[in-house]
Structure formats: C-alpha cells, structure tokens
Amino acid sequence: MRIFSFFRLKFLAVFIIVLCFIICGCSSLLNMSFSKSLPPMDGEQIVPGISQKVTVKRDNMGIPLIEAANMDDLIFAMGYVSAYDRFTQMEGFRLVGKGRLSELIGKATLEIDIFMRALNIKQVAETLYGSASPEIRHILDNYSNGVNAYLANAPLPMTLKMAGHKPEPWKPIDCVYVFVVLTLGLGQNLHEEIDMLNIAKQIDVDKLAWLFPIYPDEPLPFDEMKKLKGLDLKSASLDIEKLRQISSRVNQIIIPAAAASNNWVVSGKLTKSGKPILANDTHLPLTMPSIWHMMHLKCPEIEGAGIAIAGVPGIIAGYNGNIAVGMTMVMADNQDLFLEKLKQESDSLYYLYEDKWHKATSRQEEFKVKGQKDIITKIFHETRHGVLLNNILTDQPRHHLVPMPVNQTLGIAFSWAAREPDRTMDAFFSIMRAKSVDEILKYTSQDTSIIPLNLVMANKNDIAWQVTGRYPLRKKGRGLCPSPGWTGEYNWKGFLDPALHPSLKNPEKGYIGTANHRTVPADFPHILTSSWYYPDRAERIDQMMKAANDYTAENAKAMQLDVYSPFVEVIKTALLNEQTLKEMTAFWKDSKQSPNAEKAMALLRHFDGMMRVDSAGAAFCGAFLFSLSKNLFAEELGGTESQAYQSLLETFLMKYSALHDHLTDRCKDSPFWRGKRSQILAQTVLDAVTLLEKRCGNNTEDWQWGKLHTYYWKTDGTLLADYMDFVPKNGIKLLSGYFDRGPYPAPGDHTTLNVSAYHPGKDFDVWLIPEMRIIVDFGSDEPLIGINSTGQSDNPSSPHYDDGITAYREGRYQNFPFKEENIKTHYTKTLTLLPKQ
C-alpha cells in the first residue's frame, strides 16, 4: 500500500525548480517549501463545526490523543487530525478507489485507473454505503465534515499544491472508497490465478500442480488443474501477460495480494499477572509513510487507541479500555477467474453459457489524464461471472496491484465476493465499541463482512478467535485454478453461513495464534482458501509459547522481534542428508569453489537458524534459496526472463510455495528436478557461494545477511519514477534522498516472526515488514504499547515524518496511557480546537 507519498513529488514536472534545488542546496529549500504547509501542533484554533472545545495532545512522536465532550465532536476532530497528518495519503487512497489517479499523476498511472474502474469499486462502495445504518452514515458525515474543516482552514499540502491539484470536498462515501480499496488486497486469489494461466501456457497441465502446493501435509492439487486440460491458453497469452503486469503494479499502492501478519492472545492461566495478553503485528509493504496512523480517541461515550487508517473513522486494531483486538489475513479465496468463450457480433460481444450465446452487458468509463487534452474512453464488458479483464490494459505495469495483461478467443471474467449488500461498516464500528469478547463474537457470527480476517480478542477474563469474511460455496472445484465458465458446473451457489466460520474461545492450551497459516484441520468441510501462507511463523509461535513460563509483555516483545527461521531445518535436512552430501561433494571435487562450498556446509551445519544481520549462516541460506529458484524452475519455464518464470517468482510472495515444497521429501520425484536432484542442489550451493563472494567477499568470515538484505523506505514517487516522462523521472531520482530513508541492514526473512520478506530469485530488497506492532497486557497499569514503522506525518519537513523508523528498528515501543495522571506527563504539546462563537 504504498500510497502516495508519491504525490509529494509531482511538482518536479518543472525541471528548472529541480535544478534550482540542486544548485542552491535542495534539502534546505525543500524543507522551507514543505514547512509552509506544516500546521502547528499547539496553541488554539477556531474550527467551525464543533460544538464544544476539543483538545489534540501530542506525545514526543507526534501520536495524538483527541479528547472531546461528545461523540460527534470526537469523530469530527478525528477527520480534522487525519487530514492534518495525512491528507496527501488520504487523497491518494480516494483517487485510487475512484480510478482517477491519472488526473493527478498523468499517464504513468493510467493502467491502475483502468484496472480499478474495471473492478467497479464504485458499485462495491455504493452497496456498502447503502447497507450502512443511519448511525454509521452519521459517523461518516461527521468525519467528512472534520476533513473539510481542515481543508478550509489550513494550507493545502505542498505536494498537492505544487502539482496544481485542487482536491474536491471529502464526502462520506469517500471513507467507504478507502475502506474498499484496503480490503481488495485481502482476497488474493486473482493474482495467483493469473500467474497460473501464464505458467500453464508454457508447461503441460500435468506439471502445474507441482508448482501450486496448498500446504505441506495436503495432496498436490492434480484434480483441480484438470480444469485447464485441453484449453488453448496460448491464444490468450498476450492478454494474460498484460493482466499480470497490471495487477502487479496495483499491488504496490494498496494492500498487496501477499499481505500477511501475526497475532496471538494468551489467557491469564499462562501469564505472570493472571490476566490476558494480546499481541499483533500487521505485515504490509515497506512504505513511506506507513499505511497505519496511530491515534487515541476519548469522549464520554467511547475511548480507544491503536492503529487507524487516514480516511476511515475509528480504531482498526488496539484497545478500548475493555477489550483488545488484533487481526491477520485469512489468505481467503473469495475471488475466482472464469474462462469464457466469446464471439463478437455486429451489435455486441457474446459469451457462451450452457450451450447458448448470451449478450454481455457493457458500461463505458471516461478517463482524464493529466497533460493530455483528449478524454480516453473504455468499454467494459461483463458476463454472468463478472467483468472481462481482457483488453483493459495498455502497457507494462507500474505497480504490483495490477495484474499482467491476458487475446480474445478466451475471455477472463473476474468474480469477487465483495459485491453483495452486507453490514460490514456496522460490524466494524460495533467491534470498536464492544465491551466484551462475547459482544464481538455475537456481531461476527451474525453479520457477514467482506473483510476476511483472523480476529483475536481479549478482555480481562477471556480470549477468543473468530474468522470473518465472505467465502464462496462452489458447485465444483476449489477455486485455486481458473474455471471454464461456459458449462456452469463451477459456479458459486452462495456463501458460507457466518455461523459456520471457525471460532474458538478460551482454549484448553491457554493461547491462540494465527500467522496466515492454515488455521483449520486439513479435512475442514468448507474451503476458506487454497492459498495458505508458509507454516513457519505459526510453528514458531507454538515453540515460543510452549517454552514461556509466566508469560509477560516482555515475552510478547521478544516474539515480535524474533528472527529464528524454522525453515532452516528443512534446508539442513535437504543438504546435509548423508547420501545427498556425498553426491554433492563428488560434484564439487573439480571446482575451484570446492573449499568454500565445503565451508558453506560447515556453516549450515552449525547455523542456529537466527537470521541476524551479521550471520554468515543466514547469508548462505538466503543465497541458496535465491539460486535454487533459477536452477530448479527457469529451464522448464522458458528462462529467467520468461513471463512464466516471472509469474512463478510472484507466487513465492503470496503463499506456501513450490520453492519451499521442493525441498521436502514429497517433491523428491518432481519432474522439475529432471532426475538429477543432487546435482542441481550441488550447483545451487556453488552458485550461492559465487553470489556471496561477489557481494560480501571471498572469506566466509565476511559473509553477512545484512550486506545482502536491507530495508529501504521509499515513496511512491521513487517506485514509479522509471515509468514517468524524462523531467519528473530524473527530478524524482535526484531528490529521492530527501523523501526516502535507507538502506539499513535487515534481520529476518519471510519465515521469521519479525518478517522482512524479499523476492527469492529476484533480489534481496525487503518489501514486506510488520508495519506496526501493538501489545495489550491486561495485567499492566497501562495495558497498551505499540510502535509504527514510520512517523505520523506524510510531510517530509515534519519531525514526525521518519522518527518512527529508528524506534522501529531498535525494537522500542510507545506507551498509550489511559489514566489521567499518566496522560498529563506523557503528552508534550496541546492544540485546542474551539467552536466558532
């Protein structure tokens, strides 16, 4: 969700300004310019729209406590403060949701707009808004009024001003647009199915199941892949590839298809205090600023603190004085692709369904692109299964959120479970105001929600877990693989009753943990997904919980910062097996790298699995996985530059992958080993050694994981620069040092609780991290502590733009006091908002 610190860079369209900044000392001039739009954090302001005084207190990291005399003023002030800290980000979310980003940015984001309009986010937002209760609409009204009051009384953020952008007034439904955009990435199967189509046009369908394992203890999905048998996917190859590119692009600016998280909750019978402890860290792309906006809200009717999203009223996860709530992705499969047989007639496009040709519905959308006079028109066609994604894309994608493009004898229709009316907005706010675990369980068992989450929760006496979301019931198949749409046999027949969603309260073992792993038995009667994440983090939660005595918040911190990888044992088993090692040693005997290869095996043998920045063993394991991907899969998939291979690399980020699965015993006979497993492993060790020698030095003592694996907080401007025209592209690159932060050595990887996921087979750059961490200890005088991964502000001249990065890297946490005596000493600045008399 890398939204839109990018906008702050668009002013670089005037190249002379860029040169002036460079010649005269760009940092001071930039700070001078950006500080003009930085509002004060203390003093008094007259704010029309509130009925009584509101105070906004800030701590040393700029995290606000908003105190109001009533609920209406509180929500109004939250909108005001959200815009104060993050309006550039809010505007980005809104424009993405409406498919209008190109009106601000230009042609670099046109494909994103086309993709988002194709998905008809407008319909989803209007359906949710129409289903909301009058009370919720009133809350959205108040929040929007607060945003607009800020825009009317404060300078426009410099990024938007210099881009010549005049934002429209914030409307209540804009909050819903932001909400929907953020939920889009929480159902990820669209991207996986597109990647599957790209791979299936390159290899025989019989091999496909080896590349899409469901979970280590579940059979490979050979039956599911039979749906593609006999289909001419090569005729649709161009469209499939373009679709993958665009979906990848979109993933960079909203929650991606590979978002993940950890949460766990411990009952009082295992804690030192005898009271529950809850911990949560949400794994999202490394963004500048973080998607999360930390906040504390307080009025007589409600109180709560934790993480919020700029643009949506309320606390998403945290503590409200009575309960604590944390969330992770279920990795839900609530999206399906249906392949359609199409024909074009003079009057319309038709699709085949149950032996009859049906006329596709159509809608026309117009796109304004900054810098272009002509309005671009696109017509989107829909079948009974959803919008056709063919031919909606124009160029190479700029963002991970948008799929690669897919020709036209086969249509590709997209079904998404978010299109039905429900009470998502009401359920969301009910959870925020709940006073007990039982209240939350009541809401979530009765109301359907489009948001597929693992909620863990606690109050002073109880702990619980509840799965939320909307899960399709399919007539046939499991939804992992695209389905023929013309037969009707794979259609959805409704959704799983929320009362049947997995749930657990006060388990005998005394704790509950989720980490995007399979949280239900393999024989669970309903399909929540076929895309569970790697099991390693969940295994580590179990290991550390079983080893903990008299559990405390310090134990929770240690778990959140833990960099042990259980998967190292799988690598050890694969490489240090006596027969395999003997065959590899024979392979190495004539190689100049043989001494270092043998040293690498000694490193691995003694490696403790801790992926520390100074660890040589961690460096070897990372380099080994990086090299194995190419040696194992590239030849069969057409080489490292082929779209099939690039699609496979993308799947490594989304779920339990073929790369990991092929190191287990069940894949020893996989056709991708080509009958020479030991030789491929031996060559991979040599390639890993070569990589480490090149990047770290010839001596194994110099090999360090942190020399390969780094954090780099980048704005969207940096990420999009290569796709822009000459002037803004080079201007952004020249000034990226003012907006971006890093690189810094990064511990961990995608299998550690302290996640720092990279792209195996592509590079070692960290792209997914715990964007926030919170812990709620009901036995503590002040239960809630937490930290964001960046600062509160999206203005780079603010002292709170990047101050969270240091605290985050050092593992420090911030207090969120609820008691008045602690509030008085914790907060250092106070801004008083006064009603207009």
Side-chain angles (χ1 to χ4, degrees):
M1 232 177 248
R2 304 179 192 269
I3 296 208
F4 295 127
S5 38
F6 166 44
F7 299 147
R8 65 182 63 112
L9 300 170
K10 188 56 183 173
F11 69 90
L12 294 170
V14 184
F15 194 56
I16 277 195
I17 294 177
V18 176
L19 291 177
C20 180
F21 282 157
I22 295 169
I23 294 169
C24 299
C26 62
S27 291
S28 60
L29 285 174
L30 283 168
N31 263 324
M32 188 183 304
S33 297
F34 276 84
S35 63
K36 291 178 182 178
S37 63
L38 196 63
M41 288 193 172
D42 51 16
E44 294 183 349
Q45 290 182 357
I46 304 296
V47 181
I50 56 175
S51 62
Q52 298 183 57
K53 181 181 74 173
V54 176
T55 59
V56 181
K57 299 175 181 178
R58 302 269 186 171
D59 66 10
N60 65 327
M61 297 193 72
I63 298 172
L65 163 63
I66 305 174
E67 294 183 280
N70 57 72
M71 182 76 157
D72 284 355
D73 283 351
L74 180 69
I75 298 300
F76 181 102
M78 185 186 185
Y80 190 92
V81 172
S82 296
Y84 182 112
D85 286 347
R86 297 280 186 92
F87 185 72
T88 299
Q89 187 182 58
M90 291 170 64
E91 182 69 344
F93 281 134
R94 174 166 66 167
L95 291 174
V96 168
K98 292 187 172 184
R100 295 175 51 193
L101 189 54
S102 300
E103 295 176 24
L104 174 66
I105 306 306
K107 64 182 181 180
T109 54
L110 178 59
E111 291 84 0
I112 295 171
D113 287 345
I114 293 172
F115 181 71
M116 298 302 283
R117 297 263 199 107
L119 298 188
N120 209 351
I121 301 298
K122 178 181 178 181
Q123 180 193 58
V124 178
E126 289 177 347
T127 299
L128 278 180
Y129 184 71
S131 302
S133 67
E135 180 188 13
I136 296 305
R137 292 195 191 190
H138 182 67
I139 288 173
L140 299 177
D141 284 341
N142 280 330
Y143 184 88
S144 301
N145 290 338
V147 174
N148 292 325
Y150 176 81
L151 294 178
N153 291 281
L156 188 67
M158 183 57 62
T159 53
L160 302 179
K161 182 178 180 180
M162 299 184 82
H165 181 68
K166 295 182 179 179
E168 299 170 354
W170 193 268
K171 299 176 182 178
I173 198 170
D174 292 338
C175 300
V176 187
Y177 271 104
V178 174
F179 191 80
V180 174
V181 165
L182 299 178
T183 65
L184 174 60
L186 295 177
Q188 65 169 34
N189 194 239
L190 165 64
H191 304 268
E192 188 177 2
E193 291 191 44
I194 291 169
D195 287 325
M196 189 180 297
L197 289 175
N198 261 326
I199 295 168
K201 63 186 175 64
Q202 179 69 35
I203 65 172
D204 189 88
V205 170
D206 293 336
K207 294 182 178 179
L208 205 56
W210 293 97
L211 301 182
F212 289 88
I214 296 171
Y215 216 59
D217 62 352
E218 293 194 42
L220 294 171
F222 291 104
D223 287 342
E224 176 75 3
M225 302 306 172
K226 290 178 181 177
K227 291 189 289 185
L228 298 180
K229 198 81 170 176
L231 299 183
D232 182 13
L233 295 177
K234 290 186 178 181
S235 68
S237 61
L238 178 61
D239 286 345
I240 294 170
E241 172 52 23
K242 288 179 69 180
L243 192 57
R244 188 190 73 82
Q245 292 171 358
I246 298 298
S247 69
S248 295
R249 194 179 321 172
V250 176
N251 263 347
Q252 287 182 324
I253 58 170
I254 67 172
I255 290 180
S261 302
N262 302 317
N263 63 18
W264 57 89
V265 60
V266 188
S267 77
K269 69 180 183 181
L270 298 183
T271 65
K272 187 173 184 178
S273 69
K275 298 296 180 182
I277 294 175
L278 179 144
N280 186 201
D281 51 283
T282 54
H283 305 165
L284 295 168
L286 191 60
T287 60
M288 195 71 191
S290 164
I291 180 181
W292 301 123
H293 188 214
M294 287 191 151
M295 193 172 285
H296 187 164
L297 307 174
K298 185 177 182 181
C299 74
E301 297 99 314
I302 189 173
E303 184 171 10
I307 58 168
I309 295 170
V312 180
I315 300 298
I316 303 289
Y319 172 66
N320 71 1
N322 296 293
I323 61 161
V325 176
M327 60 186 180
T328 68
M329 280 179 63
V330 178
M331 312 303 285
D333 182 0
N334 59 11
Q335 303 169 344
D336 276 352
L337 289 185
F338 287 87
L339 303 175
E340 308 280 23
K341 292 183 177 181
L342 305 175
K343 70 174 182 178
Q344 183 70 55
E345 299 287 355
S346 59
D347 63 329
S348 186
L349 182 70
Y350 287 77
Y351 66 96
L352 185 67
Y353 181 70
E354 293 184 338
D355 298 321
K356 294 182 181 180
W357 289 99
H358 299 261
K359 189 175 182 178
T361 60
S362 63
R363 57 186 164 90
Q364 180 174 299
E365 299 276 358
E366 294 182 345
F367 299 84
K368 298 178 182 178
V369 180
K370 186 173 183 178
Q372 297 184 11
K373 293 182 179 179
D374 295 335
I375 293 176
I376 296 172
T377 300
K378 285 281 184 180
I379 296 176
F380 301 111
H381 297 282
E382 294 195 20
T383 73
R384 65 183 295 115
H385 297 115
V387 64
L388 289 169
L389 299 180
N390 310 65
N391 291 342
I392 65 171
L393 312 164
T394 62
D395 204 349
Q396 294 293 311
R398 277 61 154 169
H399 266 300
H400 281 98
L401 226 176
V402 186
M404 284 290 285
V406 214
N407 170 281
Q408 270 313 122
T409 57
L410 282 180
I412 300 175
F414 173 58
S415 290
W416 183 23
R419 302 192 184 280
E420 305 294 323
D422 70 14
R423 305 278 287 179
T424 291
M425 303 300 292
D426 285 80
F428 172 75
F429 287 103
S430 296
I431 290 171
M432 184 179 73
R433 293 178 291 188
K435 290 183 169 54
S436 71
V437 161
D438 288 335
E439 272 191 67
I440 297 179
L441 294 176
K442 178 183 176 182
Y443 299 139
T444 53
S445 66
Q446 293 177 352
D447 285 333
T448 302
S449 168
I450 67 170
I451 310 177
L453 296 172
N454 289 299
L455 291 181
V456 299
M457 61 203 83
N459 55 30
K460 287 188 176 181
N461 300 308
D462 300 308
I463 66 171
W465 160 63
Q466 175 69 58
V467 169
T468 67
R470 186 180 290 137
Y471 300 90
L473 299 173
R474 300 171 176 90
K475 289 183 178 179
K476 185 179 178 181
R478 48 185 311 134
L480 172 62
C481 175
S483 302
W486 53 87
T487 67
E489 61 185 318
Y490 298 101
N491 285 0
W492 295 359
K493 56 181 181 179
F495 300 98
L496 184 63
D497 186 336
L500 299 177
H501 290 180
S503 181
L504 186 63
K505 180 182 175 184
N506 295 330
E508 181 62 31
K509 68 178 182 179
Y511 69 93
I512 304 165
T514 79
N516 317 114
H517 67 299
R518 192 187 68 209
T519 53
V520 295
D523 60 355
F524 186 70
H526 309 290
I527 295 175
L528 303 180
T529 185
S530 302
S531 305
W532 306 108
Y533 205 66
Y534 302 89
D536 307 273
R537 287 186 282 113
E539 291 172 2
R540 184 58 172 165
I541 290 173
D542 283 338
Q543 287 176 1
M544 297 188 79
M545 284 305 310
K546 290 174 181 176
N549 296 312
D550 293 332
Y551 194 87
T552 67
E554 291 303 313
N555 294 111
K557 288 181 185 179
M559 289 175 67
Q560 289 186 333
L561 300 173
D562 181 66
V563 293
Y564 174 77
S565 171
F567 188 70
V568 168
E569 290 302 315
V570 177
I571 297 175
K572 285 185 175 184
T573 299
L575 294 182
L576 300 179
N577 171 274
E578 183 177 355
Q579 183 60 34
T580 300
L581 190 56
K582 180 179 178 181
E583 292 172 3
M584 290 196 301
T585 302
F587 183 89
W588 296 331
K589 68 177 182 180
D590 296 324
S591 171
K592 295 179 181 179
Q593 296 167 306
S594 179
N596 269 354
E598 292 176 0
K599 286 183 181 179
M601 291 300 93
L603 276 176
L604 180 63
R605 185 175 287 107
H606 296 101
F607 180 37
D608 61 3
M610 290 291 182
M611 304 292 287
R612 301 185 183 92
V613 294
D614 60 352
S615 170
F620 171 75
C621 287
F624 173 78
L625 284 178
F626 181 93
S627 303
L628 179 62
S629 173
K630 170 178 172 289
N631 293 340
L632 185 55
F633 300 117
E635 181 179 317
E636 288 275 336
L637 295 180
T640 57
E641 300 303 314
S642 72
Q643 292 304 328
Y645 181 70
Q646 293 300 314
S647 290
L648 182 67
L649 293 185
E650 202 168 75
T651 68
F652 297 168
L653 312 176
M654 298 180 187
K655 54 168 289 186
Y656 178 68
S657 72
L659 182 62
H660 280 216
D661 206 47
H662 272 69
L663 289 174
T664 65
D665 285 345
R666 76 160 170 190
C667 284
K668 283 184 175 180
D669 297 323
S670 164
F672 291 94
W673 287 114
R674 305 185 293 282
K676 46 183 182 179
R677 183 173 182 270
S678 293
Q679 294 95 316
I680 289 175
L681 290 174
Q683 184 60 55
T684 299
V685 171
L686 293 181
D687 291 346
V689 167
T690 299
L691 188 157
L692 290 167
E693 289 175 344
K694 182 178 180 180
R695 297 281 294 269
C696 302
N698 291 330
N699 296 323
T700 55
E701 293 80 6
D702 295 327
W703 296 357
Q704 293 185 3
W705 183 222
K707 291 181 178 179
L708 302 176
H709 187 56
T710 57
Y711 298 121
Y712 206 142
W713 276 266
K714 297 179 181 181
T715 66
D716 272 329
T718 301
L719 297 169
L720 282 170
D722 285 337
Y723 302 96
M724 295 181 185
D725 294 332
F726 177 83
V727 170
K729 174 175 70 176
N730 288 285
I732 287 170
K733 289 185 175 181
L734 285 168
L735 296 179
S736 62
Y738 179 70
F739 300 98
D740 303 337
R741 298 294 183 268
Y744 308 105
D749 68 359
H750 55 292
T751 66
T752 59
L753 288 177
N754 187 3
V755 160
S756 55
Y758 60 102
H759 301 80
K762 182 181 177 183
D763 58 43
F764 295 98
D765 299 338
V766 176
W767 74 282
L768 191 79
I769 63 169
E771 278 234 327
M772 68 79 179
R773 300 181 179 110
I774 59 172
I775 297 170
V776 182
D777 180 1
F778 282 87
S780 174
D781 183 57
E782 292 286 7
L784 176 62
I785 58 174
I787 195 65
N788 210 339
S789 55
T790 66
Q792 284 291 108
S793 176
D794 63 9
N795 186 324
S797 70
S798 168
H800 304 304
Y801 177 69
D802 60 2
D803 54 348
I805 292 177
T806 300
Y808 174 86
R809 293 180 57 228
E810 293 177 354
R812 292 190 273 118
Y813 291 72
Q814 198 78 351
N815 293 318
F816 289 77
F818 274 58
K819 293 185 175 180
E820 194 59 37
E821 61 268 28
N822 297 327
I823 287 174
K824 289 179 179 179
T825 58
H826 181 74
Y827 293 96
T828 57
K829 295 182 179 180
T830 301
L831 175 67
T832 302
L833 308 181
L834 299 171
K836 186 176 181 180
Q837 297 300 322

